[in-house]
Amino acid sequence: MMEYLPVEVIGNILSRLGAARDVVIASSTCRKWREAWRNHLQTLTFNSNDWPVYHELTRSRLEIIITQTIFQTNGLQCLSIIMDDVDEFSAAPVIAWLMYTRETLRQLHYNVRTTPNINILEKCGRQRLEVLALAHNTITGVEPSYQKFPCLRSLSLSYVSISALDLSLFLTACTKVEALNLVSLDIVMSDPQATMELSSNSLKDIYVEAISLDKIILEADSLEKLHLKDCTLEVFELVSKGKLRLLKIDDVSVIHLDIGESTENLEIVDVSNFTIMWSKFHHMIAKSSKLRRLRLWGVVFDDDDEVVDIETISACFPQLTHLSLSYELRETTLQYGLQDSFRLENVVILELGWTVISDLFSHWVAGLLERCPNLRKLVIYGVVSETKTHDECHTLASFTSFIVRLMRKYVHVDVQFEYE
């Protein structure tokens, strides 16, 4: 049956293989498959993790293999060159690969250093590129009037050295970009105050990881998703028109966080390993009446007397279906956090966690269960140390017995335990 397949279909099959070595082996089957490789192959991937032999080849031998393989294709749309164990490639063959594929290329994933450094933006600009992922490269002297990316929708920069000004100009050159990933950038600052200002009318999704700066100002009227992870910032300001649907903050140190007043479209708020002033944070998201998922995990309060006011959560977020809470419990949590007869009518999934197990946790679980009449699933997360004292073992055993008795009252609820 295979001999009756059209060459276009064979090209599609080869493209789904992805890995260059597999494509070369498959295309050697017969003349028809070789024709499909030449004229209908769309995707080609060179990844040092795909084939152990890549680690044994010299740099020049790798360059020859990649060159020969690419130059036997006529319409590549997606090219990935990810060589983690190669120190650097020569600039000449890399320029040749980019120039040969630039007319048809839609996606470029490039993670190799070159010597001397080449201006990849210059080679790829003003073309049809829709996805660009660069790693371990240096970007300098961005000229948005010349290096335009009219079709680019996704931009990812990892371990890239770039100035704050050039990053801003680069984003300006990407008039249709919707997704932006910035990971472990080496930000070159031209002035003493480390401020980065980014502006985009099209941006919908931004992910920022492992970046340390004094100030980030992001102006993005269409932004729907904001995810900050492992960052150290003094100020983060979002200027937007209120389309934000997802806010995720994970292990971030920031003195002043401002996501603007227009938060009425927020659906998911996920905050973990973060120090918050609950009253201020709650005020920031209080108008999010469409909120469906709220996760406060491993949060630390600025004020020792602060607690998460679950009654206020119930009142402000009537559509909440998924609630996840884990923070250090104190007597005030029970006295003020669960003192009123509020109900979380729509919550169907409840996730609760401890860092230090105590009797307070048992009462807290019971109190929240009472207030979730339509709950379907309860997940208990806990930390269990390697060596436990007799008292700690007794507390854990008491908690387990308590949960067994408690769940007889809630037989319709699926209960799960996740310990680490």
Side-chain angles (χ1 to χ4, degrees):
M1 291 294 292
M2 296 293 282
E3 62 266 26
Y4 299 111
L5 287 176
V7 287
E8 293 87 356
V9 174
I10 298 171
N12 191 30
I13 293 172
L14 293 174
S15 297
R16 292 178 183 275
L17 291 176
R21 177 175 177 268
D22 295 337
V23 172
V24 171
I25 292 173
S27 63
S28 63
T29 305
C30 64
R31 180 191 57 79
K32 194 172 184 180
W33 282 65
R34 285 193 292 275
E35 181 188 346
W37 174 22
R38 283 195 304 273
N39 299 319
H40 300 285
L41 183 69
Q42 297 179 358
T43 302
L44 199 55
T45 300
F46 299 89
N47 191 321
S48 56
N49 294 321
D50 288 344
W51 189 28
V53 176
Y54 279 136
H55 301 278
E56 302 169 10
L57 299 175
T58 62
R59 181 186 74 178
S60 58
R61 184 61 185 153
L62 266 175
E63 291 170 351
I64 291 171
I65 289 173
I66 295 174
T67 302
Q68 289 177 334
T69 308
I70 291 176
F71 277 34
Q72 290 184 65
T73 67
N74 289 324
L76 274 186
Q77 294 186 17
C78 179
L79 176 61
S80 298
I81 303 175
I82 302 169
M83 294 287 168
D84 289 329
D85 299 321
V86 178
D87 288 337
E88 53 190 22
F89 276 155
S90 300
V94 174
I95 292 173
W97 305 337
L98 295 176
M99 297 302 288
Y100 183 78
T101 59
R102 63 185 293 184
E103 296 291 335
T104 59
L105 213 57
R106 300 290 191 276
Q107 297 186 29
L108 174 63
H109 303 259
Y110 187 75
N111 178 5
V112 183
R113 299 176 180 87
T114 60
T115 178
N117 183 64
I118 63 172
N119 190 336
I120 289 186
L121 307 191
E122 185 178 294
K123 309 304 176 190
C124 301
R126 294 171 291 117
Q127 300 300 321
R128 302 179 185 180
L129 209 60
E130 297 174 5
V131 176
L132 177 60
L134 291 180
H136 297 108
N137 278 262
T138 299
I139 296 175
T140 56
V142 177
E143 294 287 348
S145 58
Y146 173 69
Q147 296 163 347
K148 290 184 179 297
F149 290 81
C151 301
L152 199 70
R153 299 191 181 277
S154 176
L155 172 63
S156 179
L157 303 177
S158 303
Y159 303 94
V160 166
S161 177
I162 187 170
S163 73
L165 176 59
D166 277 336
L167 180 56
S168 179
L169 292 173
F170 190 3
L171 198 59
T172 302
C174 306
T175 54
K176 293 184 179 179
V177 68
E178 295 181 357
L180 176 64
N181 292 328
L182 306 175
V183 178
S184 297
L185 296 188
D186 177 14
I187 304 292
V188 181
M189 304 307 302
S190 56
D191 56 72
Q193 186 180 15
T195 299
M196 184 165 68
E197 298 184 27
L198 303 176
S199 178
S200 171
N201 291 324
S202 58
L203 193 63
K204 294 182 178 180
D205 184 345
I206 184 168
Y207 174 78
V208 182
E209 179 182 348
I211 289 181
S212 297
L213 281 171
D214 289 346
K215 190 173 186 178
I216 295 181
I217 300 175
L218 174 62
E219 187 173 346
D221 287 344
S222 302
L223 195 69
E224 296 178 3
K225 298 180 180 179
L226 170 62
H227 186 177
L228 304 176
K229 181 178 180 181
D230 296 335
C231 293
T232 302
L233 309 166
E234 288 191 16
V235 176
F236 183 93
E237 289 183 11
L238 171 64
V239 180
S240 181
K241 288 189 175 177
K243 294 185 178 181
L244 194 66
R245 294 189 295 107
L246 181 148
L247 173 64
K248 190 168 184 178
I249 303 171
D250 182 8
D251 200 8
V252 172
S253 172
V254 58
I255 296 173
H256 176 72
L257 174 68
D258 184 0
I259 60 171
E261 292 295 322
S262 303
T263 58
E264 61 272 11
N265 288 309
L266 268 176
E267 297 176 10
I268 300 172
V269 172
D270 186 335
V271 179
S272 56
N273 305 311
F274 188 60
T275 300
I276 66 172
M277 184 179 293
W278 169 248
S279 57
K280 187 175 180 180
F281 185 80
H282 176 264
H283 176 73
M284 189 165 61
I285 63 171
K287 296 178 182 178
S288 311
S289 59
K290 297 179 183 178
L291 199 69
R292 294 182 292 105
R293 296 171 64 108
L294 176 62
R295 183 173 182 264
L296 301 174
W297 209 261
V299 296
V300 178
F301 300 107
D302 260 352
D303 188 338
D304 288 342
D305 293 329
E306 269 195 313
V307 296
V308 173
D309 187 346
I310 302 177
E311 181 187 9
T312 305
I313 287 177
S314 171
C316 291
F317 313 129
Q319 296 187 33
L320 199 66
T321 61
H322 193 145
L323 178 61
S324 305
L325 299 173
S326 176
Y327 47 86
E328 186 181 349
L329 293 175
R330 295 182 294 272
E331 288 288 350
T332 49
T333 304
L334 298 179
Q335 292 173 0
Y336 301 107
L338 296 174
Q339 64 177 350
D340 296 304
S341 57
F342 62 88
R343 288 161 71 90
L344 296 160
E345 293 286 350
N346 291 314
V347 171
V348 293
I349 298 176
L350 183 62
E351 296 179 321
L352 303 173
W354 79 68
T355 49
V356 179
I357 184 67
S358 68
D359 291 337
L360 280 176
F361 188 73
S362 300
H363 297 299
W364 191 54
V365 172
L368 283 171
L369 270 172
E370 281 183 21
R371 288 159 174 81
C372 299
N374 296 304
L375 194 69
R376 296 179 198 159
K377 185 176 181 179
L378 170 66
V379 186
I380 303 291
Y381 290 84
V383 177
V384 181
S385 60
E386 292 182 10
T387 57
K388 303 196 73 64
T389 65
H390 174 75
D391 288 343
E392 288 174 326
C393 289
H394 177 72
T395 301
L396 185 57
S398 297
F399 171 72
T400 306
S401 299
F402 176 83
I403 290 294
V404 170
R405 292 192 301 271
L406 181 65
M407 296 319 295
R408 288 174 184 156
K409 183 179 175 182
Y410 301 96
V411 291
H412 60 285
V413 177
D414 175 26
V415 61
Q416 296 179 10
F417 296 88
E418 296 280 347
Y419 292 161
E420 62 177 87

